[in-house]
Amino acid sequence: MLFSLHKSPSSTSWGSNEMLKRPVITSTKRFLLTPLYRSNSIMATSISTNSFSTLNKEEEEDGVSNQPEPIIQKTTQYPLQVAKRLEKFKTTIFTQMSMLAVKHGAVNLGQGFPNFDGPDFVKEAAIRAIKEGKNQYARGYGVPDLNSAIASRFKKDSGLVVDPEKEVTVTSGCTEAIAATILGLINPGDEVILFAPFYDSYEATLSMAGAKIKAITLRPPDFSIPIDELKGAVSKNTRAILMNTPHNPTGKMFTRKEMDTIASLCIENDVLVFSDEVYDKLAFEADHISIASLPGMYERTVTMNSLGKTFSLTGWKIGWAIAPPHLTWGVRQAHSYLTFATSTPMQSAAATALRAPDSYYEELKKDYNAKKAILVEGLKSVGFVVHPSSGTYFVIVDHTPFGLDNDVAFCEHLIQEVGVVAIPTSVFYLNPEDGKNLVRFTFCKDEETLREAVKRMKQKLKVLV
């Protein structure tokens, strides 16, 4: 990213009489950061701001402009500075695509946040908590009522009974739960296995921990786990497997057979599992299974989840990690020095949300199934090859019928020429080539938005091959 540094308007009074006359070079400099993208340097433009001399009346009458004309002294480029462990990572693809959506007036089916609001009963609980004065630091590992609600919900969903005081840690979103788990339990040089494509935070956080990353690639159309490859990858050197089901970005749900294989390999080789289950309530074609519920797995599993996806409140950033005490210790140690505590009134409201009746979740699935049908049928009618999605609110498609070289080129064309945003999936692989034919759409939007996106694509996308 390139930043242009401009003079601060606050550095002098542009409304004063003195500033109606032409400034002449002096010494003091001030700067403002303005982002300019696609560069690895910062441009600093220094501008004189005080000790002005002015032109006399005769010079003004001779036609010399009396408007301020700051004189640029020097332009210097500074290299962006970042720790080596993060050098390969750029501005997240979600940020980039959302900015382009605004710039081009595009329909954003890229980043996975709803364009509709969460339920009133949860928002009202947050307002009530604020008015009741629940506005100071919360207990580090969670407001007691929320910890209890998480434990109760987990018991109902998985059959597992956990201690809310010793085995539940509230975090600032699932992304922080992931970070606290990795930074609290992974040492530099530890080997961690991922399933590609994967949520981009995984690789970045593992890099911060100094982990050695292995990726098992899931391939279309069904993105099933290559069992023999997984068996060959797991060894006594493996510290953990990081998994996500239902799976972002593919919409895949890990089968019971696949999970049994993962479990047996972990038990045999004394491997931990970090299980990201934020889409557990968006499982459309089969019941969600928490791997912690499999025999012999709870004592080696950290289960991570959040409020945002299920209740359309992604901006609240309420997440949690469930683990046995010997693993919770590491998670909490990292959490203490990452965020220490999470928003107090929002935790109180989250407890209310998690006690919602089953009818809420049934209606949620029904609503998302309708949205999914609109998008999937629309994408097929446009000419995409649409791969099956059993969970999450994402759909993966093959864009190659439209003749663009790769996923990035296609997504740029889609934004600029069609007015729709999708996410190029190559950013979710260790080897970007593995994802060059695929892009991800989301259907967590209202039906009008989804229909408008399909309409634009039908009008402007043409199948070439």
Side-chain angles (χ1 to χ4, degrees):
M1 183 183 291
L2 176 69
F3 292 90
S4 177
L5 294 172
H6 300 292
K7 184 174 70 63
S8 168
S10 64
S11 63
T12 187
S13 174
W14 288 100
S16 67
N17 290 333
E18 279 297 306
M19 289 310 301
L20 295 178
K21 300 182 180 181
R22 182 179 179 183
V24 179
I25 186 167
T26 51
S27 58
T28 305
K29 311 174 189 72
R30 296 196 182 185
F31 307 98
L32 280 179
L33 285 171
T34 302
L36 296 169
Y37 297 92
R38 302 192 181 188
S39 176
N40 293 320
S41 61
I42 290 179
M43 180 178 293
T45 304
S46 61
I47 304 175
S48 303
T49 61
N50 56 358
S51 301
F52 294 112
S53 65
T54 59
L55 302 176
N56 60 34
K57 185 176 181 180
E58 288 76 14
E59 289 174 311
E60 292 179 7
E61 291 174 349
D62 285 340
V64 178
S65 171
N66 62 1
Q67 296 299 315
E69 295 180 14
I71 297 176
I72 297 175
Q73 286 182 306
K74 183 181 180 182
T75 298
T76 305
Q77 287 197 339
Y78 298 102
L80 293 177
Q81 298 187 31
V82 64
K84 290 185 180 299
R85 60 184 174 272
L86 292 174
E87 279 182 337
K88 67 171 287 186
F89 300 101
K90 311 297 182 185
T91 303
T92 71
I93 192 64
F94 308 110
T95 299
Q96 293 179 45
M97 291 298 166
S98 291
M99 291 177 65
L100 286 171
V102 173
K103 178 180 178 181
H104 292 280
V107 178
N108 192 350
L109 302 189
Q111 191 170 2
F113 61 85
N115 67 341
F116 46 86
D117 215 354
D120 288 340
F121 77 95
V122 184
K123 293 183 291 183
E124 288 164 1
I127 294 168
R128 189 162 58 248
I130 292 170
K131 289 182 176 180
E132 290 173 355
K134 298 176 181 177
N135 299 306
Q136 307 309 320
Y137 288 131
R139 187 178 64 171
Y141 58 91
V143 169
D145 191 38
L146 177 55
N147 287 58
S148 295
I150 291 168
S152 295
R153 171 52 60 181
F154 194 57
K155 178 183 178 182
K156 189 168 187 176
D157 292 341
S158 69
L160 292 169
V161 177
V162 299
D163 186 333
E165 293 298 300
K166 297 179 179 179
E167 299 176 288
V168 176
T169 304
V170 176
T171 60
S172 297
C174 190
T175 299
E176 197 229 328
I178 294 164
T181 298
I182 291 171
L183 295 174
L185 296 171
I186 297 298
N187 291 307
D190 281 352
E191 180 183 283
V192 178
I193 292 175
L194 301 177
F195 295 100
F198 45 75
Y199 174 43
D200 60 351
S201 173
Y202 298 167
E203 183 187 3
T205 308
L206 286 168
S207 295
M208 285 188 269
K212 177 183 177 183
I213 304 171
K214 277 187 179 180
I216 304 296
T217 300
L218 310 179
R219 303 187 185 281
D222 60 0
F223 298 98
S224 60
I225 295 176
I227 297 297
D228 290 341
E229 184 180 346
L230 178 62
K231 288 179 177 179
V234 178
S235 71
K236 299 296 183 183
N237 295 324
T238 306
R239 169 63 171 165
I241 294 175
L242 175 50
M243 59 179 286
N244 171 215
T245 184
H247 183 257
N248 174 19
T250 67
K252 168 192 170 56
M253 291 185 64
F254 285 33
T255 66
R256 179 58 187 256
K257 180 179 178 181
E258 290 172 333
M259 295 177 74
D260 283 340
T261 300
I262 294 170
S264 64
L265 288 170
C266 289
I267 293 169
E268 179 184 349
N269 294 282
D270 192 22
V271 174
L272 301 178
V273 170
F274 305 152
S275 184
D276 176 354
E277 301 181 13
V278 295
Y279 299 100
D280 63 332
K281 297 302 181 187
L282 296 176
F284 302 116
E285 297 177 14
D287 290 334
H288 170 73
I289 301 171
S290 288
I291 195 167
S293 68
L294 272 56
M297 287 305 293
Y298 181 72
E299 58 264 33
R300 63 180 66 256
T301 301
V302 180
T303 304
M304 302 166 290
N305 210 322
S306 75
L307 188 80
K309 304 298 191 295
T310 305
F311 289 91
S312 303
L313 296 165
T314 59
W316 285 22
K317 298 297 289 181
I318 303 292
W320 55 86
I322 301 172
H326 66 281
L327 298 180
T328 290
W329 173 251
V331 174
R332 288 185 179 179
Q333 286 295 93
H335 166 67
S336 294
Y337 298 103
L338 285 170
T339 60
F340 173 67
T342 295
S343 171
T344 303
M346 300 311 180
Q347 286 194 59
S348 183
T352 298
L354 291 180
R355 294 188 176 104
D358 289 344
S359 58
Y360 172 81
Y361 301 103
E362 292 165 3
E363 190 65 26
L364 180 77
K365 284 187 183 181
K366 180 180 177 182
D367 184 48
Y368 269 117
N369 260 321
K371 296 177 189 300
K372 177 184 173 183
I374 292 170
L375 182 60
V376 168
E377 293 308 311
L379 292 171
K380 288 179 178 178
S381 69
V382 171
F384 289 100
V385 177
V386 181
H387 296 305
S389 174
S390 301
T392 76
Y393 42 50
F394 301 116
V395 175
I396 288 283
V397 302
D398 187 324
H399 67 81
T400 55
F402 302 98
L404 278 297
D405 289 341
N406 55 54
D407 58 326
V408 174
F410 176 80
C411 286
E412 289 178 346
H413 173 80
L414 192 66
I415 293 172
Q416 295 170 6
E417 304 300 328
V418 181
V420 176
V421 179
I423 297 292
T425 66
S426 57
V427 299
F428 303 136
Y429 293 83
L430 290 184
N431 178 13
E433 283 292 302
D434 289 338
K436 70 177 184 178
N437 293 337
L438 306 174
V439 298
R440 188 194 79 178
F441 289 94
T442 184
F443 51 89
C444 59
K445 311 296 177 182
D446 60 65
E447 294 187 6
E448 181 182 358
T449 298
L450 295 170
R451 294 185 193 282
E452 174 62 23
V454 170
K455 176 183 174 183
R456 293 186 184 191
M457 289 187 282
K458 282 183 176 179
Q459 289 175 342
K460 297 182 179 180
L461 274 180
K462 302 300 180 185
V463 175
L464 300 180
V465 292

